[in-house]
Amino acid sequence: MEGLMEGLRQPRRATTLAAQVADQLREQLTSGRWPVGTRIPGEQELADMLQVSRNTVREALRALVHLGLLEARVGDGTYVRVTSELEAVLLRRTATTRPADVLELRAVLEEYAAGLAAERRSKADTARLRELLVAARESNRSGSMAQVAAADGAFHLAVVKAGGNELLMELYEHLGSALSALLAALPWDDDVAIEHDHWHTALVDAIGVGDAVAARYAASMLVRATGRLSAEIFAEQAGATGTGRHAGE
C-alpha cells in the first residue's frame, strides 16, 4: 500500500480542499503510480493520509468518477478505469458513436499521420515499422480478426509515433481500443487481407523514402479497404436498430 500513497501531501487551502485532493489523485493516475485496474486506498485511509475530512475525499472521488477516470464498485471499492481524461472522454464518446463515424475519424488521423511520418521518421522508426509489417502479414494468415486487429493497431500506432506529434499520438492511442474492437467484429475476407498487405507494404516503403504524398495515399487506401469490408455489416446494424442516419425516411 505504501507505493500507492507515494507523492500524496496535505493540501493547501488556496482553493477548495476537495479540488486540491482531486488534483492530487489525478496526479497519481497520470504518473502511473495507480495503473488501470488498481483498487485505490479507501476514503478513510486517504483522509488520514491527506489530513482532511472523509467528506472532502468523497467529494474528490465523485468528481473523478464523474470524469470517467475512476469506477466506484458498490461493496468493493474504487478502481482506476483510465489514467487520462482525454481517454475517458473518447471512450464515452465512441461508445455512443456510429462505427462508420469512428472509422472516418481514423481515416483523417492516419492519413495526416502517415504524411508526418514520411517527413520526420528516423531510421529506428522505419526499422520498427518493417518489424510490425511482418507481424501484420503473419496476422493476415491467421484467419483471426482479433489477431489482425491487434497487429493493425500496433502498426498504425507506430506510424503515428514516427510523426513525432505527441498530442496526435495520445489521441490515436486512446482511440485504439475502439478501433481494434471494430476491426475484431468484422468478418474475415481473404481479398481484403491481401489488399491490406499490399497497402501496408506501400505505406512502409513510402515512409522509408520520405514520400509524404505516397504515404498519405497508402494510408487512405488501407482505410477504404476496411470501410468496404465494414459497410455492409454497419448497414445491417443500422437497419436492425433503426439508428442509421436515414432511418425512418
Side-chain angles (χ1 to χ4, degrees):
M1 190 62 71
E2 291 183 0
L4 296 178
M5 309 303 293
E6 182 182 350
L8 293 178
R9 58 191 179 280
Q10 184 178 10
R12 300 185 303 275
R13 295 183 179 274
T15 60
T16 65
L17 290 177
Q20 291 182 61
V21 169
D23 285 342
Q24 289 199 60
L25 298 182
R26 189 184 292 108
E27 288 177 10
Q28 299 293 105
L29 300 174
T30 58
S31 69
R33 295 191 188 103
W34 291 353
V36 172
T38 299
R39 182 181 184 278
I40 71 171
E43 290 179 1
Q44 189 58 59
E45 187 174 358
L46 288 170
D48 292 341
M49 181 67 183
L50 295 165
Q51 298 182 37
V52 296
S53 72
R54 187 167 178 172
N55 283 338
T56 296
V57 171
R58 184 177 296 120
E59 184 179 347
L61 291 175
R62 284 174 179 168
L64 297 183
V65 168
H66 179 71
L67 287 173
L69 297 174
L70 298 177
E71 176 186 1
R73 302 178 185 175
V74 178
D76 189 18
T78 303
Y79 288 77
V80 179
R81 183 168 179 263
V82 296
T83 58
S84 161
E85 290 181 56
L86 177 58
E87 182 177 7
V89 170
L90 288 173
L91 284 174
R92 288 199 303 270
R93 190 65 182 89
T94 54
T96 58
T97 300
R98 294 188 324 134
D101 290 344
V102 177
L103 287 178
E104 287 177 4
L105 175 59
R106 175 189 180 181
V108 172
L109 297 179
E110 290 187 3
E111 287 179 37
Y112 186 76
L116 288 182
E119 295 169 355
R120 302 174 178 175
R121 85 282 181 234
S122 65
K123 290 182 178 179
D125 290 328
T126 303
R128 177 59 177 160
L129 286 174
R130 294 202 180 280
E131 291 176 1
L132 292 172
L133 177 60
V134 173
R137 286 172 178 165
E138 292 176 351
S139 72
N140 276 339
R141 291 193 291 269
S142 71
S144 166
M145 284 305 295
Q147 291 185 37
V148 170
D152 185 79
F155 175 86
H156 286 287
L157 180 58
V159 172
V160 177
K161 287 182 177 179
N165 184 314
E166 292 186 2
L167 182 58
L168 180 60
M169 181 177 69
E170 183 180 4
L171 177 61
Y172 189 85
E173 188 170 19
H174 294 330
L175 273 175
S177 58
L179 294 173
S180 294
L182 285 178
L183 290 178
L186 297 178
W188 178 261
D189 187 295
D190 288 331
D191 291 336
V192 172
I194 292 172
E195 189 173 0
H196 268 209
D197 183 49
H198 169 76
W199 289 113
H200 274 136
T201 302
L203 177 56
V204 174
D205 289 343
I207 291 173
V209 299
D211 189 337
V213 173
R216 286 193 294 269
Y217 181 72
S220 71
M221 294 304 292
L222 279 166
V223 176
R224 288 179 187 178
T226 302
R228 288 196 301 275
L229 178 62
S230 61
E232 183 176 346
I233 190 171
F234 290 161
E236 291 175 354
Q237 291 172 348
T241 61
T243 57
R245 187 165 288 171
H246 302 292
E249 291 186 356

